[in-house]
Amino acid sequence: MIASTPQPSYYAVIFTSLRTAGDQGYAEAAQRMLDLAREQPGFLGVESARGDDGLGITVSYWQDEAAILAWKQHAEHSEIRERGRSTWYETCQTRVCKVERAYRFDR
């Protein structure tokens, strides 16, 4: 689904990853992180896609940089992030951007 975000400005965290083979508990952990992120103050929404080749892009939207930092420092999120690095990802990259303009078309 496409996230419903407020009028800018707000922030986007773009997480791009290439998975390792096999699930190894990934699906359950990813769902838990999504559920937990939705509970965080300043969380605005998320969009995520993963191709058959293992390349995934998840964009989460946040009210401000303080909300992003709080999420980064959340104990359970930190634990899962480390498991991702040791088990689930061949490579990953995070980018933080300020959204200054947004356009939408709905049929």
Side-chain angles (χ1 to χ4, degrees):
M1 297 298 297
I2 296 176
S4 178
T5 52
Q7 288 297 313
S9 70
Y10 52 89
Y11 288 81
V13 176
I14 306 165
F15 178 71
T16 306
S17 63
L18 184 60
R19 284 287 321 276
T20 57
D23 182 79
Q24 304 178 65
Y26 177 82
E28 182 180 339
Q31 185 61 53
R32 172 65 183 148
M33 289 300 97
L34 179 57
D35 294 343
L36 190 59
R38 287 183 172 137
E39 296 173 4
Q40 302 311 302
F43 176 80
L44 301 174
V46 65
E47 299 163 342
S48 189
R50 184 165 302 279
D52 292 336
D53 60 356
L55 179 66
I57 300 173
T58 298
V59 183
S60 59
Y61 300 98
W62 300 87
Q63 181 178 344
D64 52 35
E65 289 184 283
I68 295 168
L69 183 59
W71 174 238
K72 182 179 181 182
Q73 294 175 341
H74 188 284
E76 192 173 349
H77 180 226
S78 294
E79 179 183 317
I80 291 298
R81 186 172 54 247
E82 290 308 313
R83 187 160 176 213
R85 291 174 179 165
S86 68
T87 306
W88 297 315
Y89 300 123
E90 289 292 338
T91 188
C92 58
Q93 183 166 11
T94 302
R95 299 171 179 97
V96 178
C97 312
K98 185 173 184 180
V99 178
E100 296 181 353
R101 286 181 300 284
Y103 310 95
R104 183 175 181 126
F105 168 79
D106 294 303
R107 185 169 307 278

